[in-house]
Amino acid sequence: MAPAHDDSTTSALAEADALTDAVLTWFGSHARDLPWRAAGCTAWGVLVSEIMLQQTPVVRVEPAWRAWIARWPRPVDLAEASTADVLRAWDRLGYPRRALRLQECARAIVDVHAGRVPDTEEALVALPGIGPYTAAAVVAFAYRRRSVVLDTNVRRVIARAVDGEALPTPTLTAGERRRADALTPRDDARSAAWAAASMELGALVCTARSPRCDACPVADLCRWRADGYPGDAHAHRRRTQPWTGTDRQARGRIMAELRAADHPVPEPELARVWPDHEQRARALDGLVDDGLVRREVAVVPDGDPTPPLVSLPR
């Protein structure tokens, strides 16, 4: 026997269905032709795309993803690669620790799952570098099963359309997850399509800074629009991260120099890419601690000691 619903519950369910229907219809005509969405893409290809797309735009990821999958089409291929090759292939995607975590993940897939990417969120989050979002995304996009996929784009669509807020809270809340779960269709195929469609809507139309409300398929259902586009209630909680002159920029310059080198580089020569000695030393120490750089100190029995040599890990 079906559970009884009061009028408000019935109305909410109808609104949720209308929202998902409109977004899915829009997606059918506006979805980008991305290689990790192709019918023949493997679960490994989907997983690699999700790691690469973290904080990196599609336009930079797509050529890197194609080269990566051509070189390492299976987890076992990446698991057996040298760390230096992995970091060079990661190139300028940013946050190179992601490359190391992806290789650790590949090794765990080989060792624990016989080379097959797991198909449950529980098994996926147990892998190195895989969080709840990535696990849910792989279940939805690779295995076409129901999961609640909540990236920044999806959160923004729901915050505006359902909650009437300009932007979601800086951190994911339990209330957000409940609303997202209520919006996610119960059917596996429809749920997976909703995950991709709502993400695409946030990326292309319901953008953070310049939303294209005139092109939005759910403009008539959007509470934020109906309420007159109120401002960001959480603006005071958001932090902006500078780039110029930071340790992050110093780390990036050092990594670029080492990726381009075909031999270990004497540490003092890094002054040409980052002159500030104290900051350069701090950035380099951090890279060594993170396993991204190798420092070698030559032992000289007689004579003056030579400066340390730095290189990518082997």
Side-chain angles (χ1 to χ4, degrees):
M1 180 176 178
H5 296 297
D6 59 27
D7 290 343
S8 62
T9 301
T10 301
S11 176
L13 291 173
E15 289 177 4
D17 285 343
L19 183 71
T20 53
D21 285 344
V23 174
L24 290 174
T25 299
W26 171 86
F27 185 63
S29 302
H30 295 84
R32 287 172 292 182
D33 182 17
L34 301 175
W36 45 86
R37 288 178 177 166
C41 185
T42 64
W44 171 244
V46 171
L47 176 58
V48 171
S49 76
E50 288 299 330
I51 299 298
M52 287 186 169
L53 286 164
Q54 294 170 10
Q55 299 177 290
T56 308
V58 168
V59 68
R60 288 173 57 195
V61 167
E62 185 170 352
W65 182 90
R66 290 183 184 279
W68 190 282
I69 293 301
R71 188 172 187 178
W72 299 304
R74 303 169 300 163
V76 66
D77 302 313
L78 183 63
E80 295 174 351
S82 76
T83 303
D85 285 345
V86 170
L87 290 172
R88 286 194 173 94
W90 195 259
D91 197 20
R92 300 181 65 84
L93 285 179
Y95 300 96
R97 277 177 290 185
R98 289 183 295 162
L100 298 187
R101 299 294 86 78
L102 184 54
Q103 187 173 41
E104 291 175 14
C105 180
R107 289 168 177 162
I109 291 171
V110 172
D111 294 342
V112 181
H113 300 282
R116 181 180 183 274
V117 176
D119 59 5
T120 68
E121 292 181 62
E122 293 77 12
L124 284 160
V125 295
L127 296 172
I130 304 299
Y133 161 75
T134 303
V138 170
V139 168
F141 303 145
Y143 294 110
R144 311 297 294 173
R145 295 180 185 168
R146 186 183 189 277
S147 62
V148 179
V149 180
L150 274 174
D151 81 333
T152 302
N153 291 310
V154 178
R155 292 182 65 212
R156 186 167 56 253
V157 168
I158 295 175
R160 288 174 176 168
V162 179
D163 298 332
E165 296 187 345
L167 293 171
T169 57
T171 55
L172 181 65
T173 66
E176 268 189 282
R177 185 166 289 280
R178 286 193 297 269
R179 285 188 291 279
D181 182 62
L183 277 173
T184 302
R186 302 292 131 180
D187 173 76
D188 279 341
R190 187 172 165 85
S191 167
W194 160 254
S198 56
M199 189 179 299
E200 193 82 332
L201 183 64
L204 300 182
V205 176
C206 193
T207 58
R209 295 185 179 179
S210 303
R212 298 167 50 224
C213 298
D214 59 324
C216 181
V218 295
D220 292 342
L221 302 171
C222 179
R223 182 176 166 187
W224 185 53
R225 179 173 179 265
D227 290 347
Y229 305 108
D232 180 11
H234 311 287
H236 63 287
R237 298 173 53 195
R238 303 188 197 281
R239 293 186 304 171
T240 58
Q241 295 184 339
W243 170 251
T244 303
T246 62
D247 284 5
R248 282 181 55 214
Q249 188 182 28
R251 286 165 60 102
R253 294 273 180 86
I254 292 170
M255 287 297 296
E257 182 75 5
L258 297 183
R259 282 196 303 269
D262 58 3
H263 57 275
V265 176
E267 189 169 324
E269 290 187 14
L270 295 175
R272 66 173 177 264
V273 298
W274 201 265
D276 186 319
H277 173 75
E278 183 177 346
Q279 190 176 35
R280 184 177 70 252
R282 184 170 64 246
L284 186 57
D285 287 344
L287 290 169
V288 171
D289 290 343
D290 289 341
L292 294 166
V293 168
R294 186 169 181 264
R295 181 187 273 129
E296 301 176 75
V297 179
V299 177
V300 182
D302 299 307
D304 295 330
T306 60
L309 299 175
V310 292
S311 62
L312 297 178
R314 294 173 181 170

